[in-house]
């Protein structure tokens, strides 16, 4: 089966799933696009990688993976979206270390977030594009054109100052930290922890 190269066309709010985003990939030499539903964290991570001038104050998970891979001379050479089952896309990272190539299974959203950081090409098979690819109409294109602003909104959430907690007392911050950990909201927990540490050092 022949591989088709894809480019990231944009990120938009999902019309079908609340709190989710649609990552739209387009074939390089054709009109078909491949919309993939991804979570908010992955959408944010991809948006940050695409907005070259934006650097979050702390490395995101995909940034950490990139730093780790660079340190040990691991390169992600390409991403292949190789399977579609019940609306779920399956992907592989083609990696190389010491001239040895390895194939690693990955969620498609994670694979693309890494591809943007390694500047690795993204591919899928012709039969997947035949099954799930769509041709965007002019009206749909105009909606997607607004995704740039949505991407900037996503990025703003990461680079915002922790001073949003300035009106909270230390006790309130500790309570919010416990609640964030119990809810497994580790991103918020990390921000709360940083704010607590900053105040306790004063």
């Amino acid at each position: 089966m022949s591989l088709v190269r894809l480019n990231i066309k944009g990120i938009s709010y999902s019309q079908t799933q609340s709190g989710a985003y649609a990552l739209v990939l387009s074939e390089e030499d054709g009109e078909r696009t491949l919309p993939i539903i991804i979570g908010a964290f992955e959408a944010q991570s991809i948006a940050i990688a695409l907005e070259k001038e934006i650097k979050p104050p702390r490395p995101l998970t995909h940034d950490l993976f990139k730093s780790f891979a660079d340190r040990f001379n691991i390169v992600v050479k390409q991403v292949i979206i190789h399977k579609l089952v019940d609306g779920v896309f399956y992907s592989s990272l083609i990696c190389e270390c010491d001239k040895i190539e390895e194939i690693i299974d990955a969620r498609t959203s994670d694979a693309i977030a890494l591809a943007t950081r390694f500047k690795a090409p993204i591919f899928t098979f012709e039969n997947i594009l035949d099954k799930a690819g769509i041709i965007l109409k002019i009206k749909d294109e105009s909606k997607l054109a607004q995704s740039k602003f949505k991407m900037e909104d996503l990025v703003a959430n990461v680079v915002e100052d922790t001073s949003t907690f300035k009106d909270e007392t230390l006790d309130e911050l500790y309570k919010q930290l416990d609640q964030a950990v119990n809810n497994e909201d580790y991103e918020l927990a990390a921000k709360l922890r940083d704010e607590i540490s900053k105040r306790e050092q004063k």
Side-chain angles (χ1 to χ4, degrees), residues 164-173 176 192 199:
T164 49
F165 304 118
K166 66 180 183 295
D167 296 327
E168 313 287 348
T169 67
L170 202 54
D171 285 343
E172 287 169 339
L173 289 175
Q176 287 183 35
L192 287 161
R199 290 194 193 184

Side-chain angles (χ1 to χ4, degrees), residues 102-145:
E102 297 284 351
I103 299 173
I104 299 174
D105 183 42
R107 294 189 310 164
T108 298
S109 54
D110 288 328
I112 292 172
L114 291 172
T116 56
R117 286 162 171 79
F118 283 89
K119 297 181 173 53
I122 303 163
F123 296 95
T124 193
F125 290 108
E126 185 71 44
N127 66 327
I128 291 177
L129 261 181
D130 287 341
K131 191 190 297 185
I134 59 171
I135 296 176
L136 286 179
K137 298 172 185 163
I138 299 298
K139 194 165 65 174
D140 298 328
E141 287 269 9
S142 65
K143 283 183 189 173
L144 189 60

Side-chain angles (χ1 to χ4, degrees), residues 72-77 93-104:
F72 292 96
N73 299 316
I74 300 166
V75 177
V76 174
K77 294 178 69 179
L93 300 171
I94 312 301
C95 304
E96 187 178 271
C97 181
D98 297 330
K99 298 184 179 176
I100 298 171
E101 200 168 87
E102 297 284 351
I103 299 173
I104 299 174

Side-chain angles (χ1 to χ4, degrees), residues 19-35:
Y21 292 79
L23 170 67
V24 182
L25 305 174
S26 61
E27 62 177 326
E28 193 165 71
D29 299 313
E31 298 181 330
R32 290 172 296 180
T33 60
L34 199 63

